[in-house]
Coordinates of all heavy atoms in Angstrom, one line a residue:
M147 N 107.5 93.5 114.0 CA 107.2 94.7 113.2 C 108.4 95.3 112.5 O 108.2 95.9 111.4 CB 106.7 95.7 114.2 CG 106.2 97.0 113.5 SD 104.9 96.8 112.3 CE 103.6 97.7 113.0
T148 N 109.6 95.0 112.9 CA 110.8 95.5 112.2 C 110.9 95.0 110.8 O 111.5 95.7 110.0 CB 112.1 95.2 112.9 OG1 111.9 93.9 113.7 CG2 112.5 96.3 113.8
T149 N 110.3 93.9 110.5 CA 110.4 93.4 109.1 C 109.7 94.3 108.1 O 110.2 94.4 107.0 CB 109.9 91.9 109.0 OG1 108.6 91.9 109.4 CG2 110.8 91.0 109.8
I150 N 108.7 94.9 108.6 CA 107.9 95.8 107.6 C 108.8 97.0 107.3 O 108.8 97.5 106.1 CB 106.6 96.3 108.1 CG1 105.7 96.8 107.0 CG2 106.6 97.2 109.3 CD1 105.3 95.9 105.9
Y151 N 109.6 97.5 108.2 CA 110.5 98.6 108.0 C 111.6 98.2 107.0 O 111.9 98.8 106.1 CB 111.1 99.1 109.3 CG 110.0 99.6 110.2 CD1 109.9 99.1 111.5 CD2 109.0 100.6 109.8 CE1 108.9 99.6 112.4 CE2 108.0 101.0 110.7 CZ 108.0 100.5 112.0 OH 107.0 100.9 112.8
K152 N 112.1 97.0 107.3 CA 113.2 96.4 106.4 C 112.6 96.2 105.0 O 113.3 96.5 104.0 CB 113.7 95.1 107.0 CG 114.8 94.5 106.2 CD 115.4 93.2 106.9 CE 116.5 92.6 106.0 NZ 116.9 91.3 106.5
D153 N 111.4 95.6 104.9 CA 110.8 95.4 103.6 C 110.6 96.7 102.9 O 110.8 96.8 101.6 CB 109.4 94.8 103.8 CG 109.5 93.4 104.3 OD1 110.6 92.8 104.3 OD2 108.4 92.8 104.7
A154 N 110.3 97.8 103.6 CA 110.1 99.1 102.9 C 111.4 99.6 102.3 O 111.5 100.1 101.2 CB 109.6 100.2 103.9
V155 N 112.5 99.4 103.1 CA 113.8 99.9 102.7 C 114.2 99.1 101.4 O 114.8 99.6 100.5 CB 114.9 99.8 103.8 CG1 116.3 100.1 103.2 CG2 114.5 100.8 104.9
E156 N 114.0 97.8 101.5 CA 114.3 96.9 100.4 C 113.5 97.2 99.1 O 114.0 97.2 98.0 CB 114.2 95.5 100.8 CG 115.2 95.0 101.7 CD 115.0 93.5 102.3 OE1 114.0 92.8 101.9 OE2 115.9 93.1 103.1
K157 N 112.3 97.5 99.3 CA 111.3 97.8 98.2 C 111.8 99.1 97.5 O 111.8 99.2 96.3 CB 109.9 97.8 98.7 CG 108.9 98.1 97.6 CD 107.5 98.0 98.0 CE 106.5 98.1 96.9 NZ 105.1 97.9 97.2
W158 N 111.9 100.2 98.3 CA 112.0 101.5 97.7 C 113.5 102.0 97.7 O 113.8 103.0 97.1 CB 111.1 102.5 98.4 CG 109.7 102.2 98.1 CD1 109.1 102.2 96.8 CD2 108.6 102.0 98.9 NE1 107.8 102.0 96.9 CE2 107.5 101.8 98.3 CE3 108.6 101.8 100.4 CZ2 106.3 101.4 98.9 CZ3 107.4 101.5 100.9 CH2 106.2 101.3 100.2
G159 N 114.3 101.4 98.5 CA 115.8 101.7 98.5 C 116.1 102.8 99.6 O 115.2 103.5 100.0
V160 N 117.4 102.8 99.9 CA 117.9 103.6 100.9 C 117.7 105.1 100.6 O 117.2 105.9 101.5 CB 119.4 103.3 101.2 CG1 120.0 104.4 102.2 CG2 119.5 102.0 101.8
A161 N 118.1 105.6 99.5 CA 118.0 107.0 99.1 C 116.6 107.5 99.1 O 116.3 108.6 99.7 CB 118.6 107.2 97.7
F162 N 115.7 106.7 98.6 CA 114.3 107.2 98.7 C 113.7 107.3 100.1 O 113.0 108.2 100.4 CB 113.4 106.2 97.8 CG 112.0 106.7 97.7 CD1 111.6 107.7 96.9 CD2 111.0 106.0 98.4 CE1 110.3 108.1 96.8 CE2 109.6 106.4 98.3 CZ 109.3 107.5 97.5
Q163 N 114.0 106.3 100.9 CA 113.5 106.3 102.2 C 114.1 107.4 103.1 O 113.4 108.0 103.9 CB 113.8 104.9 102.9 CG 112.9 103.8 102.3 CD 111.4 104.2 102.2 OE1 110.9 104.5 101.1 NE2 110.8 104.3 103.4
I164 N 115.4 107.7 102.8 CA 116.0 108.9 103.5 C 115.3 110.2 103.1 O 115.0 111.1 103.8 CB 117.5 109.0 103.2 CG1 118.2 107.8 104.0 CG2 118.1 110.3 103.6 CD1 119.7 107.6 103.7
T165 N 115.0 110.3 101.8 CA 114.3 111.4 101.3 C 112.9 111.5 102.0 O 112.5 112.7 102.4 CB 114.1 111.4 99.7 OG1 115.4 111.3 99.2 CG2 113.4 112.6 99.2
I166 N 112.2 110.5 102.0 CA 110.9 110.4 102.7 C 111.0 110.8 104.2 O 110.2 111.6 104.7 CB 110.2 109.0 102.6 CG1 109.9 108.7 101.1 CG2 109.0 108.9 103.4 CD1 108.9 109.8 100.5
A167 N 112.1 110.4 104.8 CA 112.3 110.7 106.2 C 112.5 112.2 106.4 O 111.9 112.8 107.3 CB 113.5 110.0 106.8
M168 N 113.2 112.8 105.5 CA 113.5 114.3 105.5 C 112.2 115.0 105.3 O 111.8 116.0 106.0 CB 114.6 114.7 104.5 CG 116.0 114.3 104.9 SD 117.2 114.8 103.8 CE 116.8 114.0 102.3
E169 N 111.4 114.5 104.4 CA 110.1 115.2 104.1 C 109.1 115.1 105.4 O 108.5 116.0 105.7 CB 109.4 114.4 102.9 CG 108.1 114.9 102.6 CD 107.4 114.2 101.4 OE1 108.1 113.9 100.4 OE2 106.2 113.8 101.5
E170 N 109.0 113.9 105.9 CA 108.2 113.7 107.1 C 108.7 114.5 108.3 O 107.8 115.1 109.0 CB 108.1 112.2 107.5 CG 107.4 111.4 106.5 CD 106.0 111.7 106.2 OE1 105.4 112.5 106.9 OE2 105.4 111.1 105.2
M171 N 110.0 114.6 108.5 CA 110.5 115.4 109.6 C 110.2 116.9 109.3 O 109.9 117.6 110.3 CB 112.0 115.2 109.8 CG 112.2 113.8 110.3 SD 114.0 113.5 110.5 CE 114.0 111.8 110.9
G172 N 110.3 117.3 108.1 CA 109.9 118.7 107.8 C 108.5 119.0 108.1 O 108.2 120.1 108.6
E173 N 107.6 118.1 107.7 CA 106.2 118.3 107.9 C 105.9 118.3 109.4 O 105.1 119.1 109.9 CB 105.4 117.1 107.3 CG 105.4 117.2 105.7 CD 104.7 116.0 105.1 OE1 104.2 115.1 105.8 OE2 104.7 115.9 103.9
C174 N 106.7 117.5 110.2 CA 106.5 117.5 111.7 C 106.9 118.9 112.2 O 106.2 119.5 113.1 CB 107.2 116.4 112.3 SG 106.9 116.2 114.0
I175 N 108.1 119.4 111.8 CA 108.5 120.7 112.2 C 107.5 121.8 111.9 O 107.2 122.6 112.7 CB 109.9 121.1 111.6 CG1 111.0 120.1 112.2 CG2 110.2 122.5 111.8 CD1 112.3 120.1 111.4
A176 N 106.9 121.7 110.7 CA 105.9 122.8 110.3 C 104.7 122.6 111.2 O 104.1 123.7 111.6 CB 105.6 122.6 108.8
S177 N 104.2 121.4 111.5 CA 103.1 121.2 112.3 C 103.3 121.7 113.8 O 102.5 122.3 114.4 CB 102.7 119.7 112.4 OG 102.2 119.4 111.1
L178 N 104.5 121.4 114.3 CA 104.9 121.9 115.6 C 104.9 123.4 115.7 O 104.3 124.0 116.6 CB 106.3 121.4 116.0 CG 106.4 120.0 116.5 CD1 107.8 119.5 116.5 CD2 105.8 119.8 117.9
N179 N 105.4 124.1 114.6 CA 105.3 125.5 114.5 C 103.9 126.0 114.5 O 103.6 126.9 115.2 CB 106.1 125.9 113.2 CG 106.2 127.4 113.2 OD1 106.4 128.1 114.1 ND2 106.0 127.9 111.9
Q180 N 103.1 125.4 113.7 CA 101.7 125.8 113.6 C 100.9 125.6 115.0 O 100.2 126.4 115.4 CB 100.9 125.1 112.5 CG 101.3 125.5 111.1 CD 100.6 124.7 110.1 OE1 100.0 123.7 110.3 NE2 100.6 125.3 108.9
Y181 N 101.2 124.5 115.6 CA 100.5 124.2 116.9 C 101.0 125.1 118.0 O 100.2 125.6 118.7 CB 100.8 122.7 117.2 CG 100.1 122.3 118.5 CD1 98.8 122.1 118.5 CD2 100.8 122.3 119.7 CE1 98.1 121.7 119.7 CE2 100.2 121.9 120.9 CZ 98.8 121.6 120.9 OH 98.2 121.3 122.1
F182 N 102.3 125.3 118.1 CA 102.9 126.0 119.3 C 102.7 127.5 119.1 O 102.3 128.2 120.0 CB 104.3 125.6 119.4 CG 104.9 126.2 120.7 CD1 104.6 125.7 121.9 CD2 105.9 127.2 120.5 CE1 105.1 126.3 123.1 CE2 106.5 127.8 121.7 CZ 106.1 127.3 123.0
F183 N 103.1 128.0 117.9 CA 103.1 129.5 117.8 C 101.8 130.0 117.2 O 101.5 131.2 117.5 CB 104.2 129.9 116.8 CG 105.6 129.6 117.4 CD1 106.4 128.6 116.9 CD2 106.0 130.4 118.5 CE1 107.7 128.4 117.5 CE2 107.3 130.1 119.1 CZ 108.1 129.2 118.5
R184 N 101.0 129.3 116.5 CA 99.9 129.8 115.9 C 98.5 129.2 116.3 O 97.4 129.7 116.0 CB 100.0 129.7 114.4 CG 101.2 130.5 113.8 CD 101.2 130.5 112.3 NE 102.3 131.2 111.8 CZ 103.5 130.7 111.5 NH1 103.6 129.4 111.5 NH2 104.5 131.4 111.0
S185 N 98.6 128.1 117.0 CA 97.4 127.3 117.4 C 96.4 127.1 116.3 O 95.3 127.3 116.4 CB 96.7 128.1 118.6 OG 97.6 128.2 119.7
R186 N 97.0 126.8 115.1 CA 96.1 126.6 113.9 C 95.8 125.2 113.5 O 95.1 125.0 112.6 CB 96.8 127.3 112.7 CG 96.8 128.8 112.9 CD 97.3 129.4 111.6 NE 97.3 130.9 111.7 CZ 97.9 131.7 110.9 NH1 98.5 131.2 109.8 NH2 97.9 133.0 111.0
I187 N 96.4 124.3 114.3 CA 96.0 122.9 113.9 C 95.6 122.1 115.1 O 96.0 122.4 116.3 CB 97.3 122.1 113.2 CG1 98.5 122.0 114.2 CG2 97.7 122.8 111.9 CD1 99.5 121.1 113.8
P188 N 94.8 121.1 114.9 CA 94.3 120.3 116.1 C 95.4 119.4 116.5 O 96.3 119.0 115.7 CB 93.1 119.5 115.5 CG 93.2 119.6 114.0 CD 94.0 120.8 113.7
I189 N 95.4 119.0 117.7 CA 96.4 118.1 118.3 C 96.5 116.8 117.5 O 97.5 116.2 117.4 CB 96.1 117.8 119.8 CG1 97.3 117.2 120.5 CG2 94.8 117.0 120.0 CD1 98.4 118.1 120.8
E190 N 95.3 116.3 116.9 CA 95.3 115.1 116.2 C 96.3 115.2 115.0 O 96.9 114.2 114.6 CB 93.9 114.8 115.7 CG 93.0 114.3 116.8 CD 92.4 115.5 117.6 OE1 92.6 116.7 117.2 OE2 91.8 115.2 118.7
K191 N 96.3 116.4 114.3 CA 97.2 116.6 113.2 C 98.7 116.5 113.6 O 99.5 115.9 112.9 CB 96.9 117.9 112.5 CG 97.9 118.4 111.4 CD 97.8 117.5 110.2 CE 98.8 118.0 109.1 NZ 99.1 116.9 108.2
L192 N 98.9 117.1 114.7 CA 100.3 117.0 115.3 C 100.7 115.6 115.6 O 101.8 115.1 115.2 CB 100.4 117.9 116.5 CG 101.9 118.0 117.2 CD1 102.9 118.4 116.2 CD2 101.8 118.9 118.4
A193 N 99.8 114.8 116.2 CA 99.9 113.4 116.5 C 100.2 112.6 115.2 O 101.1 111.7 115.2 CB 98.8 112.9 117.3
E194 N 99.5 113.0 114.2 CA 99.8 112.3 112.9 C 101.2 112.4 112.4 O 101.8 111.5 111.9 CB 98.7 112.8 111.9 CG 98.8 112.1 110.5 CD 97.8 112.7 109.6 OE1 96.6 112.9 109.9 OE2 98.1 113.0 108.4
E195 N 101.6 113.7 112.4 CA 103.0 113.9 112.0 C 104.0 113.3 112.9 O 105.0 112.8 112.4 CB 103.2 115.5 111.9 CG 102.3 116.2 110.9 CD 102.4 115.7 109.5 OE1 103.5 115.1 109.1 OE2 101.5 115.8 108.7
I196 N 103.8 113.3 114.2 CA 104.7 112.5 115.1 C 104.8 111.1 114.8 O 105.8 110.5 114.7 CB 104.3 112.8 116.6 CG1 104.5 114.3 116.9 CG2 105.1 111.9 117.5 CD1 103.9 114.7 118.3
A197 N 103.6 110.5 114.5 CA 103.5 109.0 114.1 C 104.3 108.8 112.8 O 105.1 107.8 112.8 CB 102.1 108.7 114.0
D198 N 104.2 109.7 111.8 CA 104.9 109.6 110.6 C 106.4 109.6 110.8 O 107.1 108.8 110.3 CB 104.6 110.6 109.6 CG 103.2 110.5 109.0 OD1 102.6 109.4 109.0 OD2 102.6 111.5 108.5
V199 N 106.9 110.5 111.7 CA 108.3 110.6 112.0 C 108.8 109.3 112.8 O 109.9 108.8 112.4 CB 108.6 111.8 112.8 CG1 110.0 111.8 113.4 CG2 108.4 113.1 112.0
E200 N 108.0 108.8 113.7 CA 108.4 107.6 114.3 C 108.5 106.4 113.4 O 109.5 105.6 113.4 CB 107.4 107.3 115.4 CG 107.5 108.2 116.6 CD 106.6 107.8 117.8 OE1 105.8 106.8 117.7 OE2 106.7 108.4 118.8
I201 N 107.6 106.3 112.3 CA 107.7 105.3 111.3 C 109.0 105.4 110.5 O 109.7 104.4 110.3 CB 106.4 105.3 110.5 CG1 105.2 104.8 111.3 CG2 106.6 104.4 109.3 CD1 103.9 105.0 110.7
V202 N 109.3 106.6 110.1 CA 110.5 106.8 109.3 C 111.7 106.6 110.1 O 112.8 106.1 109.6 CB 110.5 108.0 108.4 CG1 109.4 108.1 107.4 CG2 110.5 109.3 109.3
C203 N 111.6 106.9 111.4 CA 112.8 106.7 112.3 C 113.1 105.2 112.4 O 114.3 104.8 112.4 CB 112.7 107.4 113.6 SG 112.9 109.1 113.6
E204 N 112.1 104.4 112.5 CA 112.3 102.9 112.4 C 113.0 102.5 111.2 O 113.8 101.6 111.2 CB 111.0 102.2 112.7 CG 110.5 102.4 114.1 CD 111.3 101.9 115.2 OE1 111.9 100.8 115.0 OE2 111.4 102.4 116.3
Q205 N 112.6 103.1 110.1 CA 113.3 102.7 108.8 C 114.8 103.1 108.8 O 115.6 102.4 108.3 CB 112.5 103.3 107.7 CG 111.2 102.7 107.4 CD 110.3 103.4 106.4 OE1 110.8 103.5 105.2 NE2 109.1 103.8 106.8
L206 N 115.0 104.3 109.4 CA 116.3 104.8 109.5 C 117.2 103.9 110.3 O 118.3 103.7 110.1 CB 116.4 106.2 110.0 CG 115.8 107.3 109.0 CD1 115.7 108.7 109.7 CD2 116.6 107.4 107.7
R207 N 116.6 103.3 111.4 CA 117.3 102.3 112.2 C 117.7 101.1 111.4 O 118.8 100.6 111.6 CB 116.4 101.8 113.4 CG 116.3 102.8 114.5 CD 115.2 102.2 115.5 NE 115.3 102.9 116.7 CZ 115.9 102.6 117.8 NH1 116.7 101.6 117.8 NH2 115.9 103.4 118.9
V208 N 116.9 100.7 110.5 CA 117.2 99.5 109.6 C 118.5 100.0 108.7 O 119.3 99.2 108.5 CB 116.0 99.2 108.7 CG1 116.5 98.2 107.5 CG2 114.9 98.6 109.5
I209 N 118.4 101.2 108.2 CA 119.4 101.7 107.3 C 120.8 101.9 108.1 O 121.8 101.4 107.6 CB 119.0 103.0 106.6 CG1 117.9 102.7 105.7 CG2 120.2 103.7 105.9 CD1 117.1 104.0 105.2
V210 N 120.8 102.5 109.2 CA 121.9 102.8 110.0 C 122.4 101.6 110.8 O 123.6 101.4 111.0 CB 121.7 104.0 110.9 CG1 122.8 104.3 111.9 CG2 121.4 105.2 110.1
G211 N 121.5 100.9 111.3 CA 121.8 99.8 112.2 C 121.2 100.0 113.6 O 121.6 101.0 114.2
N212 N 120.3 99.1 114.0 CA 119.6 99.3 115.3 C 120.6 99.2 116.5 O 120.5 100.0 117.4 CB 118.6 98.2 115.4 CG 117.7 98.4 116.6 OD1 117.0 99.4 116.7 ND2 117.7 97.5 117.6
D213 N 121.6 98.4 116.4 CA 122.6 98.3 117.5 C 123.3 99.6 117.8 O 123.4 100.0 118.9 CB 123.6 97.2 117.2 CG 122.9 95.8 117.2 OD1 121.8 95.7 117.8 OD2 123.6 94.9 116.8
I214 N 123.7 100.3 116.7 CA 124.5 101.5 116.9 C 123.5 102.6 117.4 O 123.9 103.4 118.3 CB 125.3 102.0 115.7 CG1 126.2 103.1 116.0 CG2 124.4 102.4 114.6 CD1 127.3 103.4 115.1
V215 N 122.3 102.6 116.9 CA 121.3 103.6 117.3 C 121.0 103.4 118.9 O 121.0 104.3 119.6 CB 120.0 103.6 116.5 CG1 119.0 104.5 117.1 CG2 120.3 103.9 115.1
E216 N 120.8 102.1 119.3 CA 120.6 101.9 120.7 C 121.7 102.3 121.6 O 121.5 102.8 122.6 CB 120.2 100.4 120.9 CG 118.8 100.0 120.4 CD 117.7 100.8 121.3 OE1 117.9 100.9 122.5 OE2 116.8 101.3 120.6
K217 N 123.0 102.0 121.1 CA 124.1 102.4 121.9 C 124.2 103.9 122.1 O 124.4 104.3 123.2 CB 125.4 101.8 121.2 CG 126.7 102.1 121.8 CD 127.9 101.5 121.1 CE 129.1 101.9 121.8 NZ 130.3 101.4 121.0
V218 N 124.1 104.6 121.0 CA 124.2 106.1 121.1 C 122.9 106.6 121.9 O 123.1 107.5 122.7 CB 124.2 106.7 119.7 CG1 124.1 108.2 119.7 CG2 125.4 106.2 118.9
K219 N 121.7 106.0 121.7 CA 120.6 106.4 122.4 C 120.8 106.3 123.9 O 120.4 107.1 124.8 CB 119.4 105.7 122.0 CG 118.1 106.2 122.7 CD 116.9 105.4 122.0 CE 115.6 105.7 122.8 NZ 114.5 105.0 122.2
A220 N 121.3 105.1 124.4 CA 121.6 104.9 125.8 C 122.5 105.9 126.3 O 122.3 106.4 127.5 CB 122.2 103.5 125.9
K221 N 123.6 106.2 125.7 CA 124.5 107.3 126.0 C 123.9 108.6 126.2 O 124.0 109.3 127.2 CB 125.7 107.3 125.1 CG 126.8 108.3 125.5 CD 127.9 108.2 124.4 CE 128.9 109.3 124.6 NZ 130.0 109.3 123.5
K222 N 123.1 109.0 125.3 CA 122.4 110.3 125.3 C 121.3 110.3 126.3 O 121.2 111.3 127.0 CB 121.8 110.6 123.9 CG 122.8 111.0 122.9 CD 122.2 111.5 121.6 CE 123.3 112.1 120.7 NZ 123.6 113.4 121.1
L223 N 120.6 109.2 126.6 CA 119.6 109.2 127.6 C 120.2 109.3 129.0 O 119.7 110.0 129.9 CB 118.8 107.9 127.5 CG 117.6 107.9 126.6 CD1 116.9 106.5 126.5 CD2 116.5 108.9 127.2
K224 N 121.4 108.7 129.2 CA 122.1 108.8 130.5 C 122.4 110.2 130.7 O 122.2 110.8 131.8 CB 123.3 108.0 130.4 CG 124.1 107.9 131.7 CD 125.3 107.0 131.6 CE 126.1 107.0 132.9 NZ 127.2 106.0 132.8
R225 N 123.0 111.0 129.7 CA 123.3 112.4 129.8 C 122.1 113.2 130.1 O 122.1 114.1 130.9 CB 124.1 112.8 128.6 CG 124.7 114.2 128.8 CD 125.5 114.6 127.6 NE 124.7 114.9 126.4 CZ 125.0 114.8 125.2 NH1 126.2 114.4 124.9 NH2 124.1 115.1 124.2
F226 N 121.1 112.9 129.3 CA 119.8 113.7 129.4 C 119.2 113.5 130.8 O 118.7 114.5 131.5 CB 118.7 113.2 128.4 CG 117.4 113.8 128.5 CD1 117.2 115.1 128.2 CD2 116.4 113.0 128.9 CE1 115.9 115.6 128.3 CE2 115.0 113.6 129.0 CZ 114.9 114.9 128.7
T227 N 119.2 112.3 131.3 CA 118.7 112.0 132.7 C 119.4 112.8 133.7 O 118.8 113.4 134.6 CB 118.7 110.5 133.0 OG1 118.0 109.8 132.0 CG2 118.2 110.2 134.3
K228 N 120.8 112.8 133.6 CA 121.5 113.6 134.5 C 121.2 115.0 134.5 O 121.1 115.7 135.5 CB 123.1 113.4 134.1 CG 124.0 114.0 135.1 CD 125.5 113.8 134.7 CE 126.4 114.5 135.6 NZ 127.8 114.4 135.2
R229 N 121.0 115.6 133.3 CA 120.7 117.0 133.2 C 119.3 117.3 133.8 O 119.1 118.3 134.5 CB 120.8 117.5 131.8 CG 122.1 117.6 131.2 CD 122.3 118.3 130.0 NE 121.1 118.2 129.1 CZ 121.1 117.9 127.8 NH1 122.2 117.5 127.3 NH2 120.0 117.8 127.1
V230 N 118.4 116.5 133.6 CA 117.1 116.7 134.1 C 117.1 116.6 135.7 O 116.5 117.4 136.3 CB 116.1 115.6 133.6 CG1 114.7 115.6 134.3 CG2 115.8 115.8 132.1
L231 N 117.7 115.6 136.2 CA 117.8 115.4 137.6 C 118.5 116.6 138.3 O 118.2 117.0 139.4 CB 118.4 114.1 138.0 CG 117.5 112.9 137.6 CD1 118.2 111.6 138.0 CD2 116.1 113.0 138.2
E232 N 119.6 117.1 137.7 CA 120.4 118.2 138.2 C 119.5 119.5 138.3 O 119.4 120.2 139.2 CB 121.6 118.5 137.4 CG 122.7 117.5 137.5 CD 123.8 117.8 136.6 OE1 123.8 118.6 135.6 OE2 124.9 117.0 136.7
K233 N 118.7 119.7 137.2 CA 117.9 120.9 137.2 C 116.7 120.8 138.1 O 116.2 121.9 138.6 CB 117.5 121.2 135.7 CG 118.6 121.6 134.8 CD 118.3 122.2 133.6 CE 119.5 122.4 132.7 NZ 119.6 123.7 132.2
S234 N 116.2 119.6 138.3 CA 115.1 119.5 139.2 C 115.4 119.4 140.7 O 114.6 119.4 141.5 CB 114.3 118.3 138.8 OG 115.0 117.0 139.1
G235 N 116.7 119.3 141.0 CA 117.2 119.2 142.3 C 117.1 117.8 142.9 O 117.3 117.6 144.1
K236 N 116.7 116.8 142.1 CA 116.6 115.4 142.7 C 118.0 114.8 142.7 O 118.8 115.1 141.8 CB 115.6 114.6 141.7 CG 114.2 115.1 141.8 CD 113.4 114.3 140.9 CE 111.9 114.8 140.9 NZ 111.1 113.9 140.1
P237 N 118.2 113.9 143.6 CA 119.6 113.3 143.7 C 119.8 112.3 142.5 O 119.0 111.8 141.9 CB 119.5 112.6 145.0 CG 118.1 112.5 145.5 CD 117.3 113.6 144.7

């Protein structure tokens, strides 16, 4: 599946895909706001925006480099896990 993301970056270019990523993330933020604070959108609309963000994030991995993203993500997940377990009282 990663090839389709690479193909998209090659077809439209890095700058355009970064612009699209910012647009999709903004739409997701707006949908979260509408869903959480105003209850004005169905959960399916929020799911659609989340899916769009996940797709553009995969393209950003192509642009930035999957290896570095995975390295940083592992570090952040370790710290996140520690914080969750500390607050929940689990060892």
Side-chain angles (χ1 to χ4, degrees):
M147 184 59 118
T148 26
T149 57
I150 193 68
Y151 302 124
K152 184 178 178 187
D153 291 347
V155 172
E156 288 174 359
K157 181 174 183 173
W158 291 300
V160 170
F162 183 74
Q163 290 312 105
I164 289 173
T165 301
I166 295 300
M168 290 186 292
E169 178 184 317
E170 294 297 350
M171 289 176 188
E173 289 174 6
C174 189
I175 290 167
S177 292
L178 282 165
N179 184 38
Q180 288 178 343
Y181 180 79
F182 186 71
F183 292 111
R184 298 186 181 99
S185 301
R186 291 187 180 170
I187 64 166
I189 194 78
E190 292 81 10
K191 172 65 176 159
L192 181 57
E194 181 180 317
E195 296 304 334
I196 293 168
D198 287 341
V199 167
E200 288 185 356
I201 290 168
V202 296
C203 281
E204 290 297 325
Q205 293 173 55
L206 292 173
R207 282 175 170 267
V208 169
I209 293 166
V210 173
N212 190 60
D213 291 344
I214 192 167
V215 173
E216 282 300 314
K217 181 180 177 182
V218 172
K219 182 178 176 181
K221 182 180 175 182
K222 288 187 169 279
L223 273 172
K224 185 177 179 181
R225 189 175 71 207
F226 175 71
T227 300
K228 183 179 175 185
R229 288 193 331 235
V230 169
L231 295 178
E232 284 173 355
K233 292 194 183 230
S234 69
K236 294 180 182 178

